[in-house]
Every structure is written in C-alpha cells, then in structure tokens.
Amino acid sequence: MLASPSIALADSTLQNGYAEVNGMRMYYEISGEGEPIVVLHGAYMNIQSMGDIIPMLAETRRVYAVELQGHGRTEDIDRSITYPALAEDVALFMDALNLPEADVFGYSMGAAVGFQLAVRHPGKVDQLVAASLAYDIEGMQPEYRAMVPSMTPDMFTGTPIEQDWERLAPDPDGFDDFVTRMIGLEHEPVSWEEDVRTLQAPVLLISGDADVSTLEHSVAMFRLLGGGSMGDLGNPLPASRLAILPATSHTAIIRQPELLNAFIAPFLAGETPKGMFD
C-alpha cells in the first residue's frame, strides 16, 4: 500500500543501531521513556517519514521504531516481502532487544504487519493501534484494486519515493528489485476475517474518510472486534475502538500527528470519555 514521501522528523533519538534478524541487519531507533511501543512505518517509508508522531509518542512512551526489509537503512534480502515474513522479523527484533511484549502502532503496511504480529505472537502485543488497515482485499476501494494489476517498477522511477529510498538504502542500485518485491506484496492474498475474530489484543482502528479501504470495511472490522453497540445502557464499552479522520486521504493520515496522538494516547492509557451516566 503506497504511503507518503518523507516528512521532517524532530531529532529525539536516544539510541540507534542494527539488529541481526533473519539474515539481514534491521535498523532501529529508540527514543523516550515509559511503557514500550513498537512503531511500524508504511510502504516505501522509513522512520523519518513517519513524521512527528514518533516524538509525540516518545513524550510518554519508550518508542522502538524499526525499518522493515528493504526500507530505509535496513538492507533488502533475496526473500519475498510478505506480511507474515515482516511480522516474524519484528518478533525476532523484539527478542533481540529483550522486549518480551509491547504496544504496537502501525501505519498502512505497518498496520498489516502489526496485525499479523498480534495474530502470530499474541503474547508480544499488548495493544494494537492500526492506522489504515484492511483485513480483506475486497474491502479496498475499487479504484485501488483496479490499479494493482498494472503496477510496474517503471512507475516509481524518478519519483520522490525512489530519491528518498536511494538516500538511505545500503545498496542504492537495488531499487528495481525492491520495488518488484513490493509489487509482489500487493498481490499477496489478504483474507483475515477469522484472524480478526480471534484477535486477543485490543485494537484502535484509525482510518481516513477518503482512505484506500472503504468506510464500510472499517466499520465491519470494528464490529468483528466487538464494537458498534450502543453505550449508556449499562453495558461496558468494548476494548477496541474506531476513529475516522475527516477530510483525510490515505497519505494524509500520518500528516496529522496531533490528531492521531489525541486518539492514541487515551486508548493506550485505557481512558474513555465519560458520559452522563458514568
């Protein structure tokens, strides 16, 4: 899923380095103090292009931001890029840093990776914040599904995505191979309804009202997670939540860090707005 080019990031890094994961060196940055949260970027992005949401989270949390296979300073390897494979990379990264469990915030591709991590390693994910997540390809906008079969590496040549990738990549000449793997990811089957039903971690779903997935799909996922019933009648609110950002496209989600954090912070803290009967 395409995401936005680079956005300036305030330098709040306390520590950075590489973890040996599945035959590759995975780059990471750690900032802030508090309960841990792992941050997973979108497709063709890096830590820097996640923008100010990372330093905002670091005001109250210890943030572990990683760069996934072939992204940013993490090398690409001769392996297909799939959501399960990326999720296993993150699980091994957490092991390498002696991080048994954490909250997870993922955007776009990173949201799908975080979801797969929570499904495959439920003990590692306390709470999941998933911004722009689709659990089934049929929930994507028709225009997007129609575009995927026509995607080629040439579409990315000379774009800001290529320029930003070459700026950080360990092998600046490997862009075409990387994009070919990423296009392959777009063709991976996504049909995760049963996984949604069995998910143990509470989830905050965040979508734009003009996102790549449809509004109906976001609501359907929220209902699968136990949400959507009326409050104020004595029943407890569900652990999962849904936030729809107004006038917001897919790439505009990450460009609203204050609004994002206004939803994320109370969710992670377990705080809910009080009604007149509370």
Side-chain angles (χ1 to χ4, degrees):
M1 303 171 190
L2 298 183
S4 58
S6 287
I7 308 167
L9 172 65
D11 185 11
S12 61
T13 301
L14 298 180
Q15 178 184 346
N16 63 5
Y18 291 85
E20 297 293 333
V21 171
N22 275 335
M24 66 182 173
R25 300 174 72 238
M26 176 178 280
Y27 180 79
Y28 66 87
E29 294 181 357
I30 304 174
S31 55
E33 295 295 337
E35 294 297 314
I37 184 168
V38 175
V39 173
L40 305 173
H41 58 74
Y44 304 97
M45 294 176 71
N46 50 60
I47 292 171
Q48 193 174 16
S49 60
M50 286 292 283
D52 286 338
I53 190 59
I54 290 179
M56 284 185 180
L57 291 171
E59 292 176 4
T60 58
R61 316 279 297 197
R62 188 158 182 83
V63 177
Y64 294 77
V66 304
E67 292 179 340
L68 300 167
Q69 177 186 341
H71 290 77
R73 285 142 286 205
T74 296
E75 60 191 346
D76 199 5
I77 57 175
D78 188 13
R79 181 191 73 174
S80 297
I81 295 178
T82 68
Y83 295 118
L86 296 177
E88 291 301 320
D89 292 343
V90 176
L92 290 176
F93 163 79
M94 294 176 68
D95 291 343
L97 269 69
N98 297 314
L99 189 61
E101 59 186 5
D103 295 324
V104 174
F105 167 56
Y107 164 59
S108 189
M109 180 186 77
V113 175
F115 175 80
Q116 284 295 315
L117 178 67
V119 169
R120 294 167 179 272
H121 299 276
K124 290 185 177 295
V125 180
D126 289 335
Q127 300 174 102
L128 173 63
V129 179
S132 192
L133 171 64
Y135 67 88
D136 194 294
I137 191 64
E138 294 301 318
M140 308 293 278
Q141 298 283 2
E143 302 95 321
Y144 180 80
R145 287 187 279 127
M147 180 189 70
V148 169
S150 66
M151 294 178 71
T152 65
D154 291 344
M155 294 172 60
F156 297 83
T157 301
T159 66
I161 287 176
E162 180 183 28
Q163 296 161 11
D164 193 49
W165 189 89
E166 291 178 343
R167 179 176 59 87
L168 298 176
D171 176 17
D173 295 325
F175 185 68
D176 283 352
D177 288 340
F178 166 70
V179 172
T180 298
R181 298 188 215 279
M182 291 298 292
I183 293 174
L185 178 65
E186 302 289 354
H187 292 272
E188 284 289 311
V190 175
S191 182
W192 300 336
E193 180 173 330
E194 290 308 310
D195 291 330
V196 177
R197 293 181 185 276
T198 60
L199 199 65
Q200 297 180 22
V203 183
L204 169 60
L205 296 173
I206 302 175
S207 294
D209 62 0
D211 210 329
V212 68
S213 57
T214 66
L215 286 169
E216 293 81 1
H217 188 70
S218 296
V219 172
M221 184 170 184
F222 184 49
R223 291 192 182 280
L224 288 173
L225 292 167
S229 59
M230 182 177 177
D232 291 332
L233 294 179
N235 296 320
L237 293 174
S240 294
R241 306 181 188 183
L242 172 65
I244 302 296
L245 308 189
T248 298
S249 69
H250 179 65
T251 57
I253 289 176
I254 203 65
R255 293 176 178 267
Q256 301 177 77
E258 295 89 354
L259 186 56
L260 281 178
N261 199 43
F263 291 118
I264 294 172
F267 169 71
L268 295 179
E271 300 171 354
T272 59
K274 298 302 180 184
M276 65 181 295
F277 301 112
D278 297 322

